[in-house]
Amino acid sequence: MPKLSITDLNLDGKRVFMRVDFNVPLEASGGVGDDTRIRAALPTIQYALERGAKLVLASHLGRPKGKPDPKYSLRPAAQRLSELLGQETPLAPDSIGPESRAMVEALKPGKPLMLENVRFHAGEEKNDPEYARGLAELADLYVNDAFGTAHRAHASTEGITHFVEKSAAGLLMEKELRYLGTALENPEHPFVVILGGAKVSDKIAVIENLLKSADAILIGGAMAYTFLKSQGVETGRSLVEDDRLELARGLLVRARERKVSFLLPTDNAVVNKTVWDTDPRSAEPRICPVNDIKPDEAGLDIGPNAIKEFSKTIASAKTIVWNGPMGMFEHPPFDRGTREIALVVANAEATSIVGGGDSVAAVTEAGVADRITHVSTGGGASLEFLAGETLPGVEALSEK
């Protein structure tokens, strides 16, 4: 880890501005619907408080379009954090300004304070230096523990670092970078990559980068149909990116040249697309080989043979990276492929890294999240990192 860590800092009595990712789903009643992200930041928060930090927490929530909107207030997150910490975490009325500054100045060592949603200011997403300077006025030291937003150069993730003496990674950020970095730079082989989701275009850079080190790449989800069509397979009314067919062909050629095993589904679960569009609940799934899709059918999940073939490759792996569902996971029975792959990944004797909302939801719902080595908190950030791109929120941190 070439960047400064929170463990390298003397926090005692210091105002520590910590960027966390509390962009959590809220219930209609106003409570937090899923506190996974809040829990993920707890080790760093507790570390800072136990070492006498005056802890100033900042996050965004939703898309309030650069102005205050009560429905995007961080109050529910502050209340949930108070419960988890067993001590009151007050919410400042704003993220900058005299009132918030006064609350920070009144903070005692070992006590937390939460700022209101940073996206209530247009300067956050614009990375406006004046807004970043306003945030930095509340800080002696800066800690970024929000890996999920590290791919964005915003005022609270990048801009603020230009106005504070030291900027360090939190424990969660460190963990993310350690696991993903090892998978990229020095994976134990066989290294198996599982990619799903709707679009090849979302994963092109990831595939290109991982072709350098992967032993096998397994493709599920709707993106498989773009690859299949590029090989002359009739895909009916399955979701295909026709403008990416040439690119998909090129990736398959490159995989062959690099001797990377590139597995596409051999069978799938399909439905009559017209029936599906009219009433999804009445659409009967049909299991068939991928070269037997009828003109009016669309593929919505990988089939039992594909599950078997993918599972065999996954079981032999020593490192696994999985991003994206194998089918239309949110519509049972088209969640079968994703769920079965979740179980196989959990049972594999390998370092397993799962990222992306649907894959994380799959391992959680399958009850195996605790058997995954590392469940990433950043969908977009983990994709960009795996694509070999520089993350502004990481780049901005101080060098060790």
Side-chain angles (χ1 to χ4, degrees):
M1 175 75 183
K3 296 293 184 180
L4 213 55
S5 160
I6 188 170
T7 57
D8 299 319
L9 303 176
N10 174 15
L11 309 177
D12 193 19
K14 297 281 188 2
R15 296 173 308 161
V16 176
F17 187 109
M18 187 183 292
R19 177 56 158 97
V20 289
D21 183 5
F22 286 1
N23 183 28
V24 294
L26 300 178
E27 293 170 334
S29 60
V32 170
D34 179 355
D35 64 4
T36 306
R37 285 177 169 168
I38 300 175
R39 287 177 182 275
L42 277 179
T44 314
I45 292 170
Q46 285 164 329
Y47 179 92
L49 294 174
E50 284 162 10
R51 279 152 188 80
K54 300 173 181 178
L55 189 60
V56 182
L57 297 161
S59 179
H60 75 284
L61 177 69
R63 299 179 186 275
K65 301 190 175 141
K67 54 183 188 293
D69 183 338
K71 78 166 184 266
Y72 293 115
S73 170
L74 279 163
R75 186 165 300 285
Q79 286 167 343
R80 184 68 189 123
L81 179 63
S82 302
E83 291 164 12
L84 291 168
L85 280 179
Q87 71 160 308
E88 182 62 24
T89 305
L91 180 74
D94 199 352
S95 52
I96 54 170
E99 213 175 328
S100 301
R101 208 160 40 241
M103 287 179 80
V104 172
E105 291 312 322
L107 262 184
K108 300 270 190 292
K111 295 294 175 188
L113 170 72
M114 183 134 214
L115 302 177
E116 187 51 283
N117 195 337
V118 288
R119 286 194 185 169
F120 284 0
H121 291 265
E124 163 65 2
E125 292 185 82
K126 288 178 183 163
N127 200 5
D128 175 55
E130 280 315 299
Y131 178 61
R133 195 192 301 271
L135 296 174
E137 284 173 6
L138 309 176
D140 299 314
L141 300 166
Y142 173 76
V143 172
N144 192 341
D145 208 35
F147 178 73
T149 62
H151 58 312
R152 299 191 178 108
H154 289 175
S156 67
T157 59
E158 196 276 342
I160 185 173
T161 65
H162 300 285
F163 304 104
V164 292
E165 187 194 341
K166 286 177 182 172
S167 302
L171 302 176
L172 176 64
M173 176 75 86
E174 256 192 305
K175 189 179 170 196
E176 294 272 11
L177 296 173
R178 185 169 70 250
Y179 278 112
L180 290 165
T182 303
L184 271 188
E185 302 297 329
N186 192 22
E188 205 181 333
H189 293 276
F191 175 25
V192 175
V193 178
I194 310 160
L195 294 174
K199 294 179 175 177
V200 176
S201 47
D202 292 343
K203 308 269 169 46
I204 291 164
V206 176
I207 296 170
E208 286 179 333
N209 199 39
L210 293 179
L211 276 172
K212 298 172 194 167
S213 54
D215 298 289
I217 296 179
L218 281 45
I219 304 285
M223 64 187 279
Y225 295 101
T226 300
F227 282 102
L228 289 164
K229 191 170 180 179
S230 81
Q231 299 303 288
V233 175
E234 280 303 325
T235 54
R237 292 176 64 191
S238 305
L239 188 62
V240 168
E241 288 177 278
D242 285 309
D243 59 336
R244 303 289 181 178
L245 294 175
E246 197 55 49
L247 195 101
R249 259 192 296 276
L251 289 171
L252 288 165
V253 169
R254 225 168 313 162
R256 271 196 300 278
E257 288 169 353
R258 289 183 172 273
K259 297 187 170 49
V260 176
S261 175
F262 205 103
L263 269 65
L264 296 171
T266 48
D267 65 341
N268 50 183
V270 299
V271 291
N272 180 296
K273 187 70 165 63
T274 308
V275 176
W276 174 264
D277 289 343
T278 312
D279 179 14
R281 283 167 303 185
S282 67
E284 286 293 319
R286 181 174 82 88
I287 305 293
C288 67
V290 289
N291 57 10
D292 184 34
I293 301 173
K294 292 173 182 164
D296 58 353
E297 289 180 327
L300 297 186
D301 196 13
I302 60 173
N305 271 343
I307 292 170
K308 206 178 292 176
E309 287 161 5
F310 283 14
S311 299
K312 201 170 154 193
T313 302
I314 294 164
S316 68
K318 285 281 181 273
T319 306
I320 301 165
V321 168
W322 179 19
N323 186 295
M326 296 292 98
M328 201 166 262
F329 171 69
E330 62 278 23
H331 284 282
F334 305 105
D335 57 345
R336 185 188 163 189
T338 308
R339 286 178 182 281
E340 299 239 1
I341 293 303
L343 290 170
V344 178
V345 171
N347 289 331
E349 290 178 17
T351 299
S352 51
I353 301 159
V354 175
D358 288 326
S359 331
V360 173
V363 296
T364 304
E365 285 180 31
V368 295
D370 57 338
R371 284 156 55 199
I372 303 297
T373 314
H374 179 62
V375 177
S376 178
T377 54
S382 61
L383 270 183
E384 289 194 21
F385 191 89
L386 290 170
E389 292 171 30
T390 302
L391 305 183
V394 175
E395 194 63 18
L397 302 176
S398 310
E399 301 292 326
K400 255 199 210 297

